[in-house]
Amino acid sequence: MNQYEHAINQLDKICAIIKKTESEDSEAELTYHEMEILKHPNRVTEVSLPVIMDDGHLKIFTGYRVQHSNIRGPYKGGIRFHPQVDLNEVKSLAFWMTIKCATVDIPYGGAKGGITLDPKQLSLGELERLTRSYTRAIANIIGPEVDIPAPDVYTTPQIMAWLMDEYSKIRGKNVPAVVTGKPVEIGGSLGRDTATAQGGFFVLEEVLKKISNLSSDQNKKDISIAVQGFGNAGYNFAKIAHDAGYRVVAVSDSKGGIYNEEGLDIEKVVEHKNSSGSVINFPNAKNISNEELLVLPVKILVPAAFENVISLEMVNDIKASIILELANGPVKIDASEALAEKDVLIIPDVLANAGGVTVSYFEWVQNTRQYYWELEKVRARLKEKMAQATNLIWETKERYKVDMRTAAYIVAVERLRKAIKVRGI
Ligand code: NAD
């Protein structure tokens, strides 16, 4: 079974749980045949992208845009530049975006895009030409009311700016709302750069309030955290948690990780990474591998790099009691079920990293209104949205006696099902 089949198989499981629980309270026979629609993406686009490289030769790259569902609003989802990008991965990520937007009640559907390449091998000029080529190739299927891309792994605000600029040239007018995650100078939202991490942090604190006493800073110092990945999601999360008084003991990037059980000074780690190119070899910390980071004796583990990093074979070695999924799909489905049986609390990606799409939504609202909010307002609204979603998922978890991922899916499936029903097939 491939990754996409695994992802959509969860739908049947969720529908069965809802049917079983609801039928105990009601005589009505519940059917979920309309959910079949969500097993098939609405549109799958593969494009060939010609780019003149700096040495003058022509190279063709392959790009994708998968538009999974627009039942609850325009398609929405990031664009990933990575050597492992393939169609199955993009389809799974697009499906998860549909679930995520429904979980946190953002009026969007789900999509995802990607180009198979190693962006570290391209010059800035080559990256710009590639981004513009991709924009031209998908221009007819995106737009502010149709499909709104955003950043993901190895795509930056600068890349979003090129996309916005190329699309605006094609349309003959400024169209900032075609993409989110833009630099603030051209319509980006304050707070979008840290939104995924900040949202995950708000969710984590909401959950901690439910399960532990966090009344003093000393309590926070006692909570150790390991973060895998040191990019937009991982670095910002490590910094926010460290600044809030938690003990961030390990971080990592693609070259490896570092560990100090007394805690790391995240600002100093950034300075070290900026000068040396990696977090590894940081003074007063031990170098560890990315695999070792995942099994450290910490309270909270935050995978914030890639999908499928925690497999069934690792379950017995995991020592964390909470896993906050800032990356998309970092825990394999079978591992997730086994960890839940071991009472490890997994805060699922569709909730934990939904701060990114939530502030993307705020950015799009500001673009369409041409009226921009202060950072405090963005933060306050993000906090409110994350707290609402966390509380509803927690209540659903208690009511259906399921883990948090299943509860989040139940919330999403019910919202999607109602939307499909009222719109009609
Ligand atoms: P990024 O490109 O900013 O950072 C990726 C990080 O992962 C880098 O630090 C890189 O060094 C590290 N990395 C690469 N290969 C690795 C490996 N083999 N082991 C460990 N670390 C490795 O990407 P990002 O935006 O931070 O995205 C990370 C995850 O968060 C992805 O799963 C993405 O889908 C998810 N996510 C991001 C956002 C967002 O707004 N950026 C929103 C939702 C979800």
Side-chain angles (χ1 to χ4, degrees), residues 3-13 38-40 68 95:
Q3 189 181 350
Y4 180 67
E5 287 163 344
H6 263 299
I8 60 168
N9 262 357
Q10 287 177 286
L11 277 179
D12 289 330
K13 191 184 127 194
L38 295 179
K39 294 186 180 173
H40 307 272
H68 176 261
F95 167 78

Side-chain angles (χ1 to χ4, degrees), residues 230-243:
F230 207 61
N232 178 283
Y235 155 63
N236 284 306
F237 181 85
K239 173 147 177 39
I240 291 166
H242 172 262
D243 291 352

